Amino acid sequence: MNINDILGIAESYRNTVEHSAKHREILSIYNNHRPLARGYKVTENDAWCMTFISALFIKANAVDAIGITECGCQEYVNYAKKHGLTVDTPARGDLVFYDWGLDGHVDHVGIIY
């Protein structure tokens, strides 16, 4: 599996909205993978951006490429920093994290397409 494959999976979920069949599919992919991050099963009412990223790598059988699955952006950023997974100049397929409130807490993740 390469980054083009993972981005192709991401593309198949374009325009997914909360509480839709595709949204429930993403949550199912994530929730059925073990180990479940922090033992937490994501619900339809939770923020799901990092869950989506994890589900992409689970579906691609490429979790090793991101190290762990996670449902929380800040938790994943903490892991990435601890394991030297950060970069200064992002490239296609890299994850980009956002602190929308500029409060030091990461709120959102995207993937460079």
Side-chain angles (χ1 to χ4, degrees):
M1 198 56 63
N2 64 42
I3 195 57
N4 291 325
D5 298 323
I6 292 166
L7 293 174
I9 295 168
E11 182 66 29
S12 75
Y13 289 100
R14 184 182 291 268
N15 299 320
T16 295
V17 296
E18 291 179 346
H19 308 292
S20 68
K22 286 282 198 177
H23 179 229
R24 287 188 293 278
E25 180 181 321
I26 291 163
L27 301 183
S28 179
I29 291 166
Y30 179 84
N31 286 330
N32 287 311
H33 181 265
R34 296 294 180 265
L36 194 57
R38 293 175 283 125
Y40 183 75
K41 185 175 180 181
V42 178
T43 73
E44 286 190 51
N45 295 316
D46 290 322
W48 54 285
C49 55
M50 190 63 212
T51 301
F52 173 65
I53 297 296
S54 292
L56 291 179
F57 285 83
I58 292 166
K59 192 167 181 174
N61 197 29
V63 171
D64 289 347
I66 58 171
I68 61 168
T69 59
E70 183 52 67
C71 57
C73 293
Q74 187 65 57
E75 292 293 327
Y76 185 80
V77 166
N78 294 344
Y79 170 86
K81 285 180 179 178
K82 182 178 178 181
H83 291 88
L85 300 177
T86 60
V87 297
D88 292 327
T89 306
R92 181 176 164 84
D94 285 343
L95 304 180
V96 179
F97 291 88
Y98 303 88
D99 174 1
W100 294 128
L102 301 176
D103 59 2
H105 181 79
V106 177
D107 306 297
H108 188 63
V109 61
I111 189 167
I112 296 176
Y113 199 79

